[in-house]
Amino acid sequence: MHNGRLPKSDKSHEIAVIGSGFAGMAAAAMLAESGNEVTVFEKNCNIGGRARTFSQDGFVFDMGPSWYWMPDVYDSFFSLFGKSTSDFYELKKLDPGFAVIFENEVMDIPANFDAVCDLFESIETGSADQLRKFIAEGEFKYTVGMNDMVYKPGHSVTEFFSLKLFKDALKLQLFTSFSKHVRRYFKDPRLLALIEFPVLFLGAMPKDTPALYSLMNFAGLKQGTFYPMGGFGKVADSFRQIAENAGVNFLTCQNIEKLEVTSDVISHLHTNKKSIRTDAVIGSADYHHIEQNLLGKNHRTYDEAYWENRTFAPSCLLFYLGVNKKIDKLRHHNLFFDEHFDQHAVEIYKDKKWPERPLFYVCCPSKTDPSVAPEGSENLFVLMPIAIDLDDPDSIREKYFDVLMDRLEKFVGEDIRSHVVYKKSYSVSDFISDYNAYKGNAYGLANTLMQTAIFKPKLKSSKVKNLFYAGQLTVPGPGVPPSIISGRIAATELQKYLNK
């Protein structure tokens, strides 16, 4: 399925897509390309979902995603429309890909994999060979996972019943803990932190995450870390262009208030402005919001207790900062692991409280891209992962701003605060108001075993025949590449339904 376009529709249908994030735009583009009339409804007044941008005083800020991994997923999507990544933006491989800052040292992660192996060896004897084995396993998981499994709709376990897939599934280590798996290869706490960081930011406690997700380490350490020149907003814009070229109509500032269901089929959408007839709906907005707030009780697949019992990936506290000088010591991506990983993870996933000694991340895209800041200035995006459902008044945000800036200034050895000419914070309550995000989650559901593949909220509504879901709360999961894939699967399943 993922190698080709959708078959042409038998006849044109009116399809509504709720939400203009990557999942919604990917689904809309494919459905329009196959001959349907597709309208995307976006409650915000600009397109892109969490990948929106804003400009202020000569700074261009990406509001959400900043890591570009798995470039093949983007390439594969563009190729469906006879396009390639270079038609839309220039992709630059970062070197170093990122830096990890420990208490007394900085570890730059080189773009070249052999150099990464040398770096590991310099920290722990024998770990270069171990890393090669660990990454080869990750590559196998990536190849099988990204080609054979991730494009499955997750309706039932029978999708994995071909013998080859079943054997491969065992090798994917769904039932092994990531934490145990990593510790078979490495002992040094710095190497462990480096390998485990994608899990902290995207999912769950490493001990609760399947070892399958070492495919993330293959993406980060072997494929490398890229940057789309102009910022991640350029990527969102390329999806909008593809969708519009395929005939998709975008309606912004349009909040869906109700889905009207007749005989278990959605017949109309009611927005804050009008009522629209439809043949089918893809809900790429927050799954919980669509079910609990737009559908009547009889048409919900999951009740409130179901959502209460899910494990969510983190929310975060973000600061967008414009700084009127250059900061020499920062790299493009900077991970501050100068405090204990385990304690922060417990505070996110178990205690669910504001962290005492948080890890955090600083993105400085102006290191690579002069277009995102005025000359002689830096554009900073500071992110601290936190638990969902926390109160986030300005007083708490300011307290953590000072905590993070104390550590950042100590690391760079210079004053930053008095050079901040623009500052905006963003946290739990903003995720709720802008995206209807359940309890203010930033990344969807955590990647635990019981929330992987067929155990995720279903892509197809069990109560409403013409309602399909896409995005980070359904298959395959959080992150931009999985969201793109989610949109593709939802479009394919919806087209099957329409062609029945």
Side-chain angles (χ1 to χ4, degrees):
M1 163 246 147
H2 49 287
N3 297 324
R5 304 175 180 196
L6 292 184
K8 284 287 179 196
S9 270
D10 303 340
K11 63 181 191 1
S12 178
H13 296 90
E14 300 272 347
I15 297 171
V17 176
I18 306 172
S20 71
F22 283 109
M25 289 196 285
M30 288 179 69
L31 288 161
E33 181 80 355
S34 73
N36 298 293
E37 293 288 323
V38 183
T39 304
V40 174
F41 295 87
E42 172 53 61
K43 79 182 274 289
N44 295 309
C45 295
N46 46 359
I47 288 164
R50 283 166 167 77
R52 294 179 299 152
T53 60
F54 72 94
S55 304
Q56 191 76 36
D57 305 335
F59 296 93
V60 181
F61 294 101
D62 281 322
M63 291 189 71
S66 62
W67 291 82
Y68 195 107
W69 280 1
M70 309 183 184
D72 45 307
V73 175
Y74 300 84
D75 296 342
S76 168
F77 178 76
F78 292 141
S79 72
L80 297 178
F81 301 88
K83 298 283 187 191
S84 63
T85 302
S86 58
D87 291 327
F88 299 104
Y89 47 87
E90 178 197 346
L91 207 52
K92 212 167 200 176
K93 190 169 192 180
L94 299 181
D95 193 8
F98 53 97
V100 189
I101 293 119
F102 297 105
E103 208 167 344
N104 299 308
E105 67 180 307
V106 182
M107 202 188 283
D108 278 319
I109 308 306
N112 175 289
F113 182 62
D114 287 334
V116 179
C117 293
D118 293 344
L119 171 70
F120 271 57
E121 190 65 26
S122 72
I123 291 169
E124 181 177 310
T125 307
S127 66
D129 285 345
Q130 290 294 81
L131 181 63
R132 286 194 168 89
K133 285 184 207 154
F134 178 79
I135 293 296
E137 264 189 16
E139 183 165 10
F140 170 79
K141 292 170 189 171
Y142 188 88
T143 307
V144 171
M146 298 310 285
N147 290 320
D148 300 340
M149 291 192 170
V150 81
Y151 287 88
K152 302 272 182 211
H155 297 322
S156 89
V157 76
T158 56
E159 291 165 22
F160 302 96
F161 273 7
S162 86
L163 192 60
K164 179 182 180 313
L165 258 190
F166 191 67
K167 280 183 182 162
D168 286 347
L170 294 177
K171 288 190 215 159
L172 291 181
Q173 296 183 293
L174 270 172
F175 303 102
T176 308
S177 128
F178 187 87
S179 178
K180 272 191 188 146
H181 177 60
V182 175
R183 279 159 182 75
R184 285 186 196 138
Y185 290 85
F186 312 106
K187 303 273 180 297
D188 189 283
R190 290 161 298 178
L191 298 183
L192 296 173
L194 167 61
I195 294 286
E196 288 183 337
F197 98 82
V199 174
L200 176 80
F201 281 80
L202 277 182
M205 300 283 286
K207 68 180 178 56
D208 299 328
T209 301
L212 162 69
Y213 290 100
S214 66
L215 64 82
M216 299 282 289
N217 302 116
F218 162 71
L221 298 177
K222 182 91 182 272
Q223 284 186 324
T225 302
F226 297 83
Y227 173 78
M229 293 301 281
F232 231 99
K234 291 280 185 210
V235 188
D237 199 53
S238 66
F239 276 65
R240 179 191 59 77
Q241 284 178 52
I242 281 178
E244 286 182 339
N245 291 344
V248 173
N249 182 25
F250 284 91
L251 294 179
T252 54
C253 310
Q254 297 259 350
N255 194 24
I256 305 284
E257 295 177 344
K258 186 184 171 203
L259 296 173
E260 187 181 326
V261 182
T262 313
S263 308
D264 299 333
V265 170
I266 297 170
S267 59
H268 291 81
L269 296 91
H270 299 279
T271 77
N272 52 332
K273 297 186 176 173
K274 55 186 174 180
S275 164
I276 301 103
R277 197 196 73 75
T278 189
D279 293 316
V281 173
I282 284 188
S284 77
D286 185 271
Y287 199 130
H288 168 270
H289 167 73
I290 292 172
E291 285 228 320
Q292 298 297 316
N293 299 323
L294 307 186
L295 289 171
K297 205 167 184 178
N298 300 341
H299 294 115
R300 295 171 193 162
T301 303
Y302 304 104
D303 60 13
E304 200 60 56
Y306 171 86
W307 295 104
E308 281 290 335
N309 289 320
R310 297 304 92 192
T311 302
F312 275 79
S315 185
C316 48
L317 171 60
L318 292 164
F319 294 99
Y320 309 103
L321 305 175
V323 179
N324 68 1
K325 68 169 182 178
K326 297 309 267 182
I327 305 165
D328 291 340
K329 213 170 166 189
L330 279 180
R331 281 59 163 175
H332 186 123
H333 294 297
N334 310 267
L335 293 158
F336 282 80
F337 275 59
D338 49 342
E339 293 288 2
H340 290 294
F341 181 97
D342 294 342
Q343 182 184 341
H344 191 178
V346 166
E347 288 163 338
I348 293 172
Y349 299 110
K350 298 284 188 276
D351 298 345
K352 295 196 168 52
K353 64 177 191 181
W354 282 95
E356 280 177 36
R357 301 166 78 169
L359 308 183
F360 66 105
Y361 156 65
V362 178
C363 182
C364 185
S366 44
K367 289 283 166 202
T368 307
D369 185 352
S371 77
V372 300
E375 197 174 339
S377 299
E378 300 282 29
N379 173 324
L380 299 187
F381 169 98
V382 182
L383 181 154
M384 179 178 93
I386 55 174
I388 60 167
D389 207 21
L390 295 177
D391 284 332
D392 60 346
D394 286 345
S395 56
I396 289 186
R397 296 184 187 202
E398 280 308 300
K399 173 188 152 184
Y400 279 96
F401 178 71
D402 284 330
V403 167
L404 301 183
M405 295 310 279
D406 284 347
R407 282 164 54 195
L408 182 55
E409 288 178 341
K410 182 183 166 196
F411 168 68
V412 298
E414 56 182 304
D415 164 47
I416 296 174
R417 269 170 279 204
S418 65
H419 291 270
V420 171
V421 290
Y422 177 77
K423 173 182 162 193
K424 175 186 168 88
S425 69
Y426 197 95
S427 196
V428 177
S429 53
D430 301 297
F431 282 102
I432 294 170
S433 64
D434 284 358
Y435 309 120
N436 295 308
Y438 178 70
K439 294 190 174 181
N441 80 82
Y443 304 109
L445 284 170
N447 287 322
T448 61
L449 170 61
M450 293 315 292
Q451 293 179 172
T452 292
I454 55 167
F455 301 123
K456 288 204 186 286
K458 296 294 185 214
L459 185 96
K460 183 177 187 332
S461 165
S462 65
K463 303 284 179 73
V464 181
K465 292 173 187 166
N466 62 344
L467 173 59
F468 295 77
Y469 290 96
Q472 59 184 18
L473 290 183
T474 183
V475 289
V480 177
S483 290
I484 295 168
I485 292 165
S486 183
R488 293 181 61 170
I489 304 170
T492 304
E493 295 302 300
L494 173 51
Q495 192 65 63
K496 282 184 197 162
Y497 161 79
L498 291 173
N499 285 350
K500 269 183 191 167

